[in-house]
Each structure stands twice: as C-alpha cells, then as structure tokens.
Amino acid sequence: HLRFMQRFGSGKPWFVAHMVFGVGGPLLILVHSTYRIGSINAGVALFSMLIVAASGVVGRFLYVRLHRNLRGEKLSLIELRGQREAADGSVTRLRFAPDVAARILAFEREALPDGHAAPGLWQALVHLPVRRWQVRHECRRELKLRILALGRSEGFSRGKTRRALEEARRLVGDELMTIQRIAQFSAWERLFSWWHVAHVPFVYLMLLSAVAHVVAVHAY
C-alpha cells in the first residue's frame, strides 16, 4: 500500500517472518507473564494476543485453500477448471468402466449445478466431502470388478492387473478431488474474507492494550 516500501523485497519472506513472529512472539510473552495476569489491561493484552495467534492458525488453514504455497498467487475458479480440462481427462480414460464414468459425471452435476460453485457453506464444506467419499468408494468397488474381468480376458499378470487397478483408482480420486476443489473455492474465499474482518480488529486491540500495558508498567 505504501509506495516507498514496495522495494523492500517480495511478499514471501515478509509473510514467513509474519508467521514466525506470530508464533514466537506469543510464546515469549507467555514466558514473560509467568502465566499470570497482573491487571485488567494486561489481561486484555494477553487474551487479545492469544485470540490473534489462534485466529492466525485458522487463517493459515484458509489461506492454503486459496493460494499456492507462500507465493500469494490466488487460485481462481477459472484456473482450477483450466487445470482440470488440461489434464488427461480421467472420465474419457475410464471408457472401459461406463458406470464409474457415469458416477463421476453425476457427482459433478451435483457439486457444480449449471457449472457454478456450490452456494451453501454446509453443502460445499460438509456434505460435498461426504458425497465424494461415497462416490469414490462406489467407484473403487466397480473398478475392481471391471479390471479383474479385463485382466482375465486379456491375460494380464497379477502385477499388471494390480498396477492397472491402482492407476484407475488414482485417476478417479484425482477427478473427484478436482471437482470438489472447484465447488469449494467460493466457500473458502467467503470464509477467508470473514476471517479477515474478525482477525484485524483484535490485532489493533492487542497493539493498543500492549502499548498501554508497557506505558503503565514504566510510569507506575
């Protein structure tokens, strides 16, 4: 936001420093306080700090759902869909198991009605993972039957049959997870915006109470 600070390095090392100090600082302050609260202001400062540190952990969890590593490159819904379309297309590669392909397409229609992300937080973050696990379990069972039958008809060795089964299961798992990530993107983005609104006020409250605490200790 400040022009003269834009030459102070990229965001990655500053973000790493922010996380290190956000964990190390509270630990040192807990030791400094000897795990006791001496005044109301000290208590406000301490609990504000603990809330900020705890919310930082939650924020980091939400952050990784929207960003690649620490580079701050936010994934967009279009990019996620592009990654999926650029892949090999596991549904196409599972033509030997039409029931499995049909289950994947049905899960996609359920997760992404009309091609849009699931609107509800409960639907996106709770119901959808459960459905993905159910569909994945059904697909794995169907794949085993199909590949064992294919292996017998084609004369596959036991090792080749096992590798084919593992590869097919991996394709199904990747496809279902990609669909889930696309559907959940808007929900994670919404939660991250809510978290930011709650996190920042406690940062300022911690700062003001900490300054008041230091001034009071040295003045009185």
Side-chain angles (χ1 to χ4, degrees):
H1 294 289
L2 301 178
R3 186 179 299 275
F4 77 94
M5 298 185 70
Q6 293 176 4
R7 297 188 299 272
F8 288 5
S10 63
K12 180 179 177 179
W14 287 108
F15 185 68
V16 172
H18 174 72
M19 289 191 296
V20 171
F21 289 132
V23 174
L27 290 176
L28 291 176
I29 293 173
L30 282 175
V31 174
H32 164 73
S33 68
T34 64
Y35 306 100
R36 291 181 299 176
I37 299 174
S39 66
I40 294 177
N41 182 74
V44 172
L46 179 64
F47 283 107
S48 297
M49 177 199 70
L50 294 176
I51 291 172
V52 169
S55 68
V57 174
V58 174
R60 175 61 182 156
F61 173 80
L62 297 174
Y63 181 89
V64 297
R65 295 297 184 277
L66 299 173
H67 296 72
R68 295 188 187 99
N69 300 325
L70 300 177
R71 297 176 61 189
E73 298 178 22
K74 191 160 76 171
L75 286 170
S76 69
L77 201 56
I78 295 175
E79 287 176 327
L80 279 174
R81 285 184 174 137
Q83 289 175 6
R84 179 174 171 236
E85 291 169 359
D88 293 333
S90 57
V91 173
T92 304
R93 297 176 65 180
L94 292 169
R95 285 174 296 191
F96 67 92
D99 291 343
V100 173
R103 285 191 173 96
I104 293 174
L105 292 175
F107 176 72
E108 180 178 2
R109 287 191 294 269
E110 178 183 350
L112 301 168
D114 301 325
H116 298 290
L121 291 177
W122 175 266
Q123 171 74 12
L125 303 181
V126 179
H127 174 72
L128 194 60
V130 173
R131 281 292 299 140
R132 180 184 63 84
W133 181 85
Q134 291 174 341
V135 174
R136 177 174 172 268
H137 179 71
E138 293 169 358
C139 290
R140 287 170 66 91
R141 184 174 54 195
E142 180 68 21
L143 283 172
K144 183 175 181 179
L145 296 175
R146 291 281 182 173
I147 290 179
L148 287 177
L150 181 64
R152 286 193 296 268
S153 64
E154 298 291 335
F156 290 171
S157 65
R158 181 176 298 179
K160 186 174 181 179
T161 301
R162 185 179 66 253
R163 288 191 297 271
L165 179 59
E166 291 174 353
E167 175 67 12
R169 285 177 170 176
R170 184 188 64 80
L171 287 172
V172 169
D174 290 347
E175 180 74 8
L176 294 175
M177 180 57 71
T178 301
I179 294 170
Q180 178 179 307
R181 288 183 63 202
I182 292 173
Q184 288 180 333
F185 182 86
S186 295
W188 289 123
E189 194 169 45
R190 199 180 320 162
L191 284 177
F192 190 71
S193 65
W194 292 350
W195 167 85
H196 197 267
V197 171
H199 181 72
V200 173
F202 280 109
V203 172
Y204 288 115
L205 178 62
M206 176 188 68
L207 178 62
L208 292 174
S209 57
V211 169
H213 172 67
V214 172
V215 170
V217 167
H218 287 81
Y220 303 104

